[in-house]
Amino acid sequence: MKKEVIRILNEIRPEFDFNEDVNFIEQGMLDSFDIVLLVTRLDEKFGTSIDGMDILPENFSTIDTIVKLLEKSGGKE
Amino acid sequence: MNFTFNNKSITGLLVILPSRKVRFDEELDNYNFPHAKSMKLKLAMGYNTRRIVDDSVCTSDLCVFGLKYLFERGYIDKEEIDALVLVTQSPDYFMPPTSNVIQGILGLKKDMICMDINQGCAGYIIGLMQSFMLLEQTSIKKVALLNADIMSRKVSKRDRNSNPLIGDAASITIVEKNLVDNDIYGNIKMDGRNYSILIIPAGGYKMPSNIETAEMKEDVSGNFRSLDNLVMKGDEVFNFVQREVPPMIEELLETGKASKEEVDYYMFHQPNKFMLNKLADKLEIPHEKMPSNIVENFGNASGVSIPTVICFNLAERLLNETFKLCLAGFGVGLTWASLLLEMGKMKFNKIIDY
């Protein structure tokens, strides 16, 4: 799941390295429109519908928080 | 807050759209973002074609055009209109009320009431609630509810947060007393503490427009706008809608003793496809029961997007059939409001070009 999340992130913002251990929001690597694209792609890929209430910047700040959100949303590899 | 209205019905609906079309693909160079990313957003948000007015066109122009269309074709008689309610955030003047201006242009009778209501995305619902209340009076038998906005004139062309989705439109809804026993349920909530997440900062008495307020500045996301332009904090609006709208709909259905399945369509305000799909998922409503095809075809014209989504998707079916509809609007104020009602057997339901 982690690998696929990184692949999708790279697809959305190819100019950044999402393997780095940084906060994607604080570093300006993802803005609110990126999050819309990311949620759309994650929902398609993992068969989820991420709850609108969970679409908050803090849930997209690292690979771990994104994976945790996917697991909470019932995401399957 | 819950409301119940009895023996009222919507007997006609007309939507007036400017004939000028603007396509998202043609505006990509306006924005400070890579084209490829904008094109991906186009799909997710439903950006495509929107209808906007020329700079000389005002709210009254769209409304007068629509009312004349109805008078000339005999859909309504001008003498029958006892109340003219105009919901708009883009009046012709600070004073007088634009509804009075429209009354004067059309030569409507003097023995009537005209009123403007300053509301946005929930404005159509509030206008219907106000119309139902006016119809409680013996002297008021027919209300012409006008809902119009031309916000494209207040949006920066270089603001990717707002410009790609904003459309202009007007609607005329005829609301009448009904002899058939029926109940209409309503719910409304407001939160003025968060008024600043959807705002035009300058132009009122608080911050009059001047050379400084007209200066274009870049925000942290790379959008250019001035204080005279609409500012929408999109992520905060999104979170507000996802947090507040689902419980309001649950409460409305409970009050109206209707199950989600009994409702034929959820005709909601049309901010963008992504937000509506997330709302439908949260409410466990099939996407086909909550149409989200207005932004891509016409743009989001505030509250007018609700009559537009009804007209566009049900069209002539509303002349012969009856549907149980749940209507909802949410946005500026902040305000969120909904109605549960039956609509059908209408005298007219159409979209025309200005």
Side-chain angles (χ1 to χ4, degrees), chain B residues 183-347:
Chain B
D183 288 326
I184 296 171
Y185 300 94
N187 190 292
I188 186 162
K189 291 181 172 61
M190 301 211 180
D191 175 16
R193 284 176 290 274
N194 287 308
Y195 73 91
S196 64
I197 70 173
L198 266 164
I199 191 169
I200 299 172
Y205 288 103
K206 187 88 175 171
M207 190 191 294
S209 288
N210 54 38
I211 295 170
E212 285 169 19
T213 64
E215 192 186 337
M216 298 294 270
K217 290 182 179 165
E218 186 176 2
D219 72 7
V220 289
S221 306
N223 296 295
F224 285 84
R225 69 174 85 81
S226 76
L227 291 167
D228 292 330
N229 294 136
L230 172 80
V231 187
M232 177 173 63
K233 294 178 184 162
D235 45 354
E236 290 185 46
V237 173
F238 178 86
N239 291 332
F240 144 68
V241 170
Q242 300 297 323
R243 183 178 66 248
E244 302 292 359
V245 174
M248 170 182 66
I249 300 301
E250 302 278 3
E251 189 182 336
L252 177 75
L253 295 180
E254 196 182 319
T255 310
K257 295 182 179 60
S259 68
K260 283 177 189 164
E261 294 72 28
E262 280 173 67
V263 175
D264 296 307
Y265 291 101
Y266 293 81
M267 298 298 197
F268 282 15
H269 166 56
Q270 303 278 302
N272 61 60
K273 194 178 268 292
F274 179 77
M275 198 187 287
L276 284 166
N277 286 345
K278 284 294 168 197
L279 269 183
D281 290 345
K282 178 80 178 169
L283 283 161
E284 297 179 328
I285 294 164
H287 288 191
E288 58 270 23
K289 276 196 160 194
M290 191 187 289
S292 59
N293 52 4
I294 297 307
V295 165
E296 68 195 55
N297 285 293
F298 310 116
N300 163 7
S302 307
V304 195
S305 68
I306 301 173
T308 309
V309 75
I310 296 171
C311 259
F312 186 61
N313 289 284
L314 295 178
E316 291 189 351
R317 292 181 68 194
L318 268 173
L319 305 182
N320 304 310
E321 300 172 56
T322 299
F323 299 94
K324 191 185 257 304
L325 302 182
C326 176
L327 316 183
F330 32 83
V332 67
L334 302 173
T335 307
W336 55 113
S338 53
L339 282 170
L340 180 66
L341 76 174
E342 295 211 337
M343 271 178 81
K345 310 276 186 200
M346 285 163 52
K347 292 172 192 156

Side-chain angles (χ1 to χ4, degrees), chain A:
Chain A
M1 189 178 270
K2 230 173 184 170
K3 223 169 145 186
E4 192 57 29
V5 170
I6 293 171
R7 197 190 64 75
I8 292 171
L9 283 166
N10 283 329
E11 192 184 291
I12 293 170
R13 295 300 295 262
E15 66 270 41
F16 296 121
D17 179 4
F18 288 95
N19 287 301
E20 280 184 32
D21 187 21
V22 292
N23 185 310
F24 305 150
I25 307 297
E26 285 173 8
Q27 294 300 309
M29 295 162 75
L30 293 177
D31 63 22
S32 56
F33 283 101
D34 294 322
I35 292 175
V36 168
L37 290 177
L38 180 58
V39 170
T40 307
R41 291 288 292 114
L42 293 173
D43 280 349
E44 279 167 10
K45 180 69 198 171
F46 296 102
T48 53
S49 175
I50 293 170
D51 192 313
M53 295 267 284
D54 289 329
I55 304 178
L56 300 166
E58 55 265 36
N59 288 332
F60 301 90
S61 56
T62 65
I63 299 294
D64 285 345
T65 59
I66 297 171
V67 168
K68 203 182 275 180
L69 177 61
L70 278 172
E71 286 168 354
K72 180 188 170 192
S73 311
K76 293 177 187 73
E77 294 224 42

